[in-house]
Amino acid sequence: MKLFLIRHGETVDNVAQLYAGIRDSALTVQGVLQAERLGQFLAASGNRYTHIFASDLQRAVKTAQALLSAQPAQDSLTLDLCQLPILREQDFGFYEGKPFYARQRDSTKSGKENHRSQHQDDPGFKDVESKESMTRRTDIFVGQYIKPLILQKISERNTAVAVVSHGIILSHLWRSILRMFAKQTVALAPGLPVGGGGVTPLEYLGGWSNTGYLELDITTSNVNVETEAKVEVMGSPMVAQSLVTTEGAEMIELSLPPTTRMLIKTVNGKEHLKGLKRARGVGSSQFDEGQKKIESFFKRTKAG
């Protein structure tokens, strides 16, 4: 079973450098092109989705719809897009729709953190969503949707599942997925970077570019990890998976059978964006649903 964690395409607020968590920012023309490229690339690579999940915010929904549209006609007719509020981006509270705050030169904190420390007691100030809250959300999603699918579909090699969401919440989702697996059952595909000193901090594989994706291959083995020799990743011992729980919340059981394995095949995949250039004048503007199909939008009319 393949599992793809995908970030949405470029948005109007991305370009304007505004905080957009639960704010429903629209895709730009460039963002739509990115999403269409992604859908076509993954479909051409032979990925046939049985399930597509997405945040219910339009930037994630439109990106997920591009995946769906690129699937073969017979597959897309039976494939539903599941939109879930639980997959929304971190709620930035007071900062929603506001410009990024610059880091002060004499401070180790981000501009937003400095501003927060100065204004969090102001009337009407709404704090940003905590890491614990986001972890709780992704644990619930994994427990209710991803774990059952793995247990049901793991032996089906042609099964592919996509989750389209947002950069920060995807990082928490990845760590929730990682906690499903026993120690030493996760490996990196040959050629992937392994971090400083040869040891990969698997909990922190890096960020997601616009329409960047993490590709995971989940399989089962007859070898029990408890009796198997120590797994090596690119010549270095794999770091143990840390179990991070949400304080004060009910524990969610995420663990899979110890014979379940995961291969990390692609980190922040961007191959589909090669050669994609920003259109002058309109690339950063909001995509208009009334426009003709986006591929033909930039084609020049032949003279004569």
Side-chain angles (χ1 to χ4, degrees):
M1 171 182 156
K2 285 188 177 182
L3 176 60
F4 292 85
L5 306 186
I6 302 167
R7 187 187 176 204
H8 59 77
E10 180 191 82
T11 70
V12 174
D13 283 352
N14 289 155
V15 175
Q17 295 189 320
L18 302 178
Y19 286 106
I22 60 172
R23 175 181 163 94
D24 204 8
S25 182
L27 292 179
T28 61
V29 171
Q30 183 76 0
V32 172
L33 284 170
Q34 292 170 341
E36 291 184 348
R37 280 283 196 98
L38 175 66
Q40 293 162 4
F41 175 83
L42 293 179
S45 300
N47 295 294
R48 300 293 178 261
Y49 298 103
T50 57
H51 298 77
I52 300 179
F53 301 96
S55 156
D56 65 341
L57 297 176
Q58 63 172 312
R59 57 192 185 271
V61 172
K62 298 297 184 184
T63 303
Q65 287 173 340
L67 295 184
L68 181 58
S69 297
Q71 292 289 289
Q74 66 272 18
D75 295 338
S76 61
L77 291 176
T78 59
L79 180 59
D80 291 326
L81 172 58
C82 182
Q83 303 177 35
L84 299 170
I86 202 170
L87 289 174
R88 290 181 181 181
E89 180 60 296
Q90 179 182 24
D91 183 348
F92 289 118
F94 170 83
Y95 300 97
E96 289 284 339
K98 293 182 172 60
F100 296 161
Y101 288 85
R103 182 190 299 272
Q104 297 178 5
R105 292 185 178 181
D106 58 348
S107 176
T108 58
K109 296 181 178 180
S110 69
K112 178 164 63 66
E113 289 170 337
N114 275 317
H115 184 276
R116 176 181 176 276
S117 64
Q118 297 170 19
H119 298 279
Q120 58 184 337
D121 295 327
D122 292 354
F125 182 87
K126 180 185 177 184
D127 207 349
V128 298
E129 183 181 7
S130 68
K131 293 179 181 179
E132 291 76 18
S133 172
M134 288 186 286
T135 297
R136 180 67 177 173
R137 284 201 280 133
T138 56
D139 279 357
I140 291 172
F141 171 72
V142 169
Q144 291 184 354
Y145 294 93
I146 300 302
K147 181 180 177 180
L149 277 175
I150 291 175
L151 294 174
Q152 178 186 359
K153 301 285 188 179
I154 192 169
S155 61
E156 300 179 15
R157 299 297 300 170
N158 294 327
T159 296
V161 176
V163 182
V164 184
S165 189
H166 314 265
I168 296 176
I169 201 67
L170 279 172
S171 294
H172 287 267
L173 177 57
W174 159 240
R175 290 191 282 276
S176 292
I177 290 171
L178 195 58
R179 288 197 293 276
M180 288 193 292
F181 293 83
K183 295 178 182 179
Q184 304 173 5
T185 63
V186 182
L188 290 164
L192 288 182
V194 296
V199 179
T200 300
L202 290 178
E203 296 89 343
Y204 304 97
L205 285 177
W208 271 261
S209 302
N210 288 322
T211 63
Y213 62 89
L214 178 66
E215 180 183 1
L216 308 170
D217 194 6
I218 301 171
T219 58
T220 187
S221 169
N222 292 327
V223 180
N224 193 311
V225 70
E226 295 177 357
T227 60
E228 187 186 25
K230 192 173 185 179
V231 175
E232 299 285 322
V233 178
M234 300 288 286
S236 300
M238 182 178 295
V239 296
Q241 311 306 312
S242 59
L243 293 176
V244 182
T245 58
T246 306
E247 295 183 6
E250 181 182 350
M251 184 70 176
I252 299 174
E253 178 56 53
L254 297 180
S255 60
L256 289 166
T259 53
T260 311
R261 300 178 174 278
M262 178 166 65
L263 178 66
I264 303 167
K265 298 189 69 174
T266 308
V267 176
N268 195 24
K270 297 182 291 185
E271 297 89 343
H272 59 288
L273 298 179
K274 289 181 179 178
L276 179 61
K277 297 180 180 180
R278 182 177 297 279
R280 292 183 180 180
V282 297
S284 299
S285 60
Q286 179 174 338
F287 177 69
D288 181 357
E289 294 289 350
Q291 293 170 349
K292 56 185 175 179
K293 189 166 178 59
I294 194 69
E295 294 97 332
S296 63
F297 183 81
F298 300 105
K299 289 183 180 179
R300 297 180 180 177
T301 303
K302 293 183 179 180

